[in-house]
Amino acid sequence: MRVGGVKIGDRLRTTVEDDEVWYLVSMAGKARMVRIRIGERALDVTPGHLISTEDGMRAAKHIRVGESIRTLQGLAKVTGIEHAVGHVVAPITKSGTVVVNGIVASTYAFGNHDLIHGLTFPGRLLYTLSPSVGVPAAQLFHLFFDWLKVILPLGQNMDAVVLGSLVAFLSIPIGMVAIAKPFRQRIKRTPP
């Protein structure tokens, strides 16, 4: 399946046998990309996209020819790095990983893969419990994310932007409960 054809709810083989796409990030227009080659196979990603290496997840712009990166078959040497231009489509899976042409990558760009995956747990949980609630919730989270990335450049602040988005996102239901509490108490005290 081509990455551009992936939809929310699609089942994929990633680093787990049966993974699911719970959110989809796409950008209008074209973006600068890095094409990482392993023999005849290639992976096109944004420069900040995290690639699985023998030393953990690293941004694609830091991957070098001769370095080993993870594939489904194990470690393989990078045989080429090229610059490209393309459309950005990033399926976000429950495992936080994708496999494209056998090459293992994170579903996230910039930051710390494990931290971002942990911070997006509430979105995955909501999607698992109810996709009809989880998808709009993820869209709201992404709206906060878009606002914060205007203020904080992603390259240096991805973890902070994701954390700030999560705090803003979670403050909505917490704020609603706090606002509603006095009204519920008044209703209970009102005689029939």
Side-chain angles (χ1 to χ4, degrees), residues 50 57 106 108 110-122 124 141 157-163 166:
L50 301 173
M57 296 285 187
S106 171
Y108 314 116
F110 304 107
N112 178 298
H113 170 84
D114 293 329
L115 177 62
I116 295 168
H117 193 63
L119 291 172
T120 57
F121 172 76
R124 289 192 309 279
F141 176 89
N157 302 294
M158 177 60 122
D159 301 339
V161 170
V162 172
L163 178 60
L166 178 63

Side-chain angles (χ1 to χ4, degrees), residues 4-192:
V6 173
K7 302 179 301 302
I8 293 173
D10 281 352
R11 313 290 293 191
L12 305 175
R13 172 137 196 261
T14 62
T15 54
V16 297
E17 276 298 317
D18 184 32
D19 209 346
E20 186 173 2
V21 176
W22 70 275
Y23 191 64
L24 197 59
V25 175
S26 60
M27 293 172 47
K30 293 191 176 188
R32 287 185 319 113
M33 307 287 270
V34 174
R35 179 171 295 138
I36 299 171
R37 289 198 175 278
I38 296 179
E40 295 299 312
R41 298 181 288 172
L43 170 65
D44 288 3
V45 292
T46 60
H49 203 97
L50 301 173
I51 305 299
S52 185
T53 72
E54 62 185 329
D55 300 321
M57 296 285 187
R58 290 213 341 263
K61 66 184 174 186
H62 298 301
I63 303 296
R64 301 289 177 246
V65 173
E67 183 175 348
S68 293
I69 62 174
R70 296 201 184 282
T71 70
L72 283 179
Q73 296 76 35
L75 292 173
K77 297 274 186 202
V78 174
T79 57
I81 301 284
E82 302 166 14
H83 297 284
V85 174
H87 295 283
V88 175
V89 177
I92 309 299
T93 62
K94 288 183 178 180
S95 73
T97 62
V98 291
V99 176
V100 178
N101 297 331
I103 301 168
V104 178
S106 171
T107 59
Y108 314 116
F110 304 107
N112 178 298
H113 170 84
D114 293 329
L115 177 62
I116 295 168
H117 193 63
L119 291 172
T120 57
F121 172 76
R124 289 192 309 279
L125 178 62
L126 276 174
Y127 177 84
T128 300
L129 296 173
S130 173
S132 64
V133 172
V135 171
Q139 291 168 334
L140 180 62
F141 176 89
H142 206 263
L143 180 65
F144 289 125
F145 180 87
D146 286 342
W147 288 340
L148 283 173
K149 75 179 185 184
V150 169
I151 301 166
L152 301 168
L154 286 183
Q156 298 83 25
N157 302 294
M158 177 60 122
D159 301 339
V161 170
V162 172
L163 178 60
S165 301
L166 178 63
V167 169
F169 171 74
L170 292 176
S171 68
I172 292 172
I174 293 168
M176 291 173 70
V177 168
I179 290 169
K181 187 175 180 179
F183 292 109
R184 284 195 313 259
Q185 290 173 345
R186 277 192 217 145
I187 291 170
K188 288 179 184 176
R189 282 187 257 149
T190 305

